[in-house]
Amino acid sequence: MLLRLRKNLGPSELESVLAVARDLDLATRFLDAQRTVLELVGPADPRARSRFEDLAAVSAVLDSSDQPELVDRTRDRADTVVHIAEAVFGGDSASLIAGPCAVESAERLFEIAASVRAAGAALLRGGAYKPRTSPHSFQGLGAQGLALLAEARARTGLGIVTEVLDPRDVEVVGRSADAFQIGSRSMANAALLVEVGKSGKPVLLKRGLAATVREFLLAAEYVLAQGNPNVILCERGIRGFDKFTRNVLDVGAVAHLKLATHLPVVVDPSHAAGRADLVRPLARAGLAAGADGLVIETHPAPHEVHSDGAQAVSLPLFAEIARDAQAILALDDRHLRPTLYSPLGSPQLGV
Ligand code: PEP
Ligand code: MN
């Protein structure tokens, strides 16, 4: 690892750096006469980079490739493959997560669950606790919503993904959910990340609306640091300056994350676009960039919903997206799980 130090450090400032190096068992050597580039050699420790970044005397960590963090892809770490019910994310497998933004009524939820299952979704998503920007907006059905999700699972066999907003709710939400969603607004809630980490259940971690890729990965690091390897990174668009879409889908981040980490990555084109007519092309782009799955908001009557109606795709459109997904994955020798079958029994390659 190489550190760039600030110029003209006093002895005590320099000592602050050397003390951390000693604590981590790292040998130190200056590489330049001005004593601003410090080489550190010793055992790999995922804490090292952050410990040095926090020091006022350090202006940059130049190279930390020998100090991998838990999320980093390294030669000896195979792809993490996360299994949730029939869904498989990572390696050569991808799956689809679909459902309404929020759980609103039993009839609608069961109708959507049955249709998305028939169209190829492996998991049902729906919020019982909704993280709304305004406290006056619909906040979700809470415990009643959780009970409906559990009932939908019993009826269809679909695994359930639902958001948990509060560390105190992890246990109760975990009773109805097969995976926790951590929403954008909660990505940096360390207490919540620690709690879902301790649960051991899979975590769908959404990127914060203005989070850098590094901040996103450090949020995942919190979960992994609790001994829970089942993290799926979800790119859902970041805030841009133009209003023609709700957010800007960062396809570059999807491709980068696939190279930089061993974790599966999924794309949520619904919250990125904010409009139903762009969901299908963005879904295609996400999978082509290497995503291991999609999260799609789906509803038969978008004008009736209390949250995110404008971006909800119809059930027939979701079925087309599922066919697209299978065809795009096949280009990379990857597979949609479960596989879609045409009436003739061979995979349907949609266009
Ligand atoms: C959602 O999934 O409905 C949601 C609120 O998403 P995000 O946290 O990405 O805004
Ligand atoms: Mn939503």
Side-chain angles (χ1 to χ4, degrees):
M1 180 186 263
L2 287 181
L3 303 182
R4 182 178 298 289
L5 303 185
R6 296 197 193 284
K7 292 204 179 95
N8 307 319
L9 291 180
S12 65
E13 292 167 306
L14 186 55
E15 177 51 25
S16 70
V17 182
L18 300 178
V20 172
R22 278 197 301 274
D23 193 31
L24 294 167
D25 265 341
L26 300 171
T28 54
R29 181 168 69 116
F30 283 103
L31 299 185
D32 61 337
Q34 299 74 36
R35 293 163 65 92
T36 56
V37 181
L38 183 65
E39 184 186 44
L40 301 153
V41 181
D45 187 324
R47 297 167 305 169
R49 180 177 172 142
S50 300
R51 295 262 322 256
F52 287 113
E53 272 176 350
D54 283 345
L55 296 175
V58 174
S59 64
V61 175
L62 297 177
D63 170 22
S64 63
S65 54
D66 55 343
Q67 307 287 336
E69 283 165 342
L70 299 169
V71 293
D72 289 345
R73 182 181 284 289
T74 54
R75 225 175 296 152
D76 54 337
R77 264 183 209 147
D79 269 8
T80 292
V81 179
V82 178
H83 296 256
I84 309 167
E86 283 184 69
V88 188
F89 301 94
D92 70 353
S93 299
S95 291
L96 305 179
I97 307 173
C101 179
V103 178
E104 294 185 350
S105 74
E107 302 70 41
R108 274 287 183 235
L109 185 67
F110 302 154
E111 176 193 359
I112 296 170
S115 328
V116 297
R117 178 170 189 114
L123 298 175
L124 177 67
R125 58 144 283 148
Y129 296 94
K130 292 305 301 176
R132 305 307 300 282
T133 300
S134 163
H136 307 301
S137 304
F138 172 61
Q139 305 289 312
L141 296 183
Q144 192 197 343
L146 291 178
L148 294 177
L149 287 167
E151 167 85 22
R153 174 176 48 196
R155 287 177 178 229
T156 59
L158 286 170
I160 301 295
V161 185
T162 196
E163 178 152 358
V164 60
L165 280 169
D166 187 318
R168 292 166 299 188
D169 292 338
V170 166
E171 202 195 318
V172 61
V173 174
R175 279 187 228 134
S176 302
D178 298 285
F180 293 114
Q181 175 170 314
I182 300 294
S184 278
R185 292 159 192 77
S186 302
M187 186 207 83
N189 182 340
L192 184 58
L193 297 169
V194 166
E195 227 32 61
V196 294
K198 284 188 191 153
S199 79
K201 253 183 204 270
V203 177
L204 177 73
L205 177 63
K206 299 188 101 178
R207 181 177 178 185
L209 358 177
T212 64
V213 163
R214 173 133 179 87
E215 289 161 345
F216 187 24
L217 287 176
L218 287 174
E221 190 82 10
Y222 264 97
V223 180
L224 296 188
Q226 295 302 316
N228 183 351
N230 299 307
V231 176
I232 302 168
L233 301 170
C234 177
E235 164 57 38
R236 47 76 76 201
I238 50 176
R239 190 157 278 180
F241 60 86
D242 204 339
K243 294 273 182 284
F244 80 103
T245 53
R246 184 174 179 185
N247 290 293
V248 180
L249 181 65
D250 190 352
V251 179
V254 175
H256 168 76
L257 288 167
K258 288 300 299 173
L259 294 176
T261 92
H262 54 89
L263 296 172
V265 179
V266 299
V267 161
D268 169 353
S270 305
H271 291 85
R275 32 188 278 211
D277 59 349
L278 292 185
V279 169
R280 186 180 185 191
L282 294 191
R284 290 174 165 211
L287 290 169
D292 303 293
L294 298 171
V295 183
I296 309 274
E297 286 192 348
T298 317
H299 202 279
H303 51 280
E304 285 176 14
V305 311
H306 297 320
S307 59
D308 291 349
Q311 68 198 32
V313 299
S314 67
L315 295 161
L317 183 50
F318 174 70
E320 291 191 49
I321 292 170
R323 286 195 292 271
D324 286 352
Q326 183 151 282
I328 293 167
L329 292 165
L331 295 173
D332 292 336
D333 287 329
R334 297 190 291 155
H335 309 281
L336 188 66
R337 313 274 181 204
T339 309
L340 303 180
Y341 287 102
S342 73
L344 294 175
S346 59
Q348 245 179 28
L349 301 181
V351 282

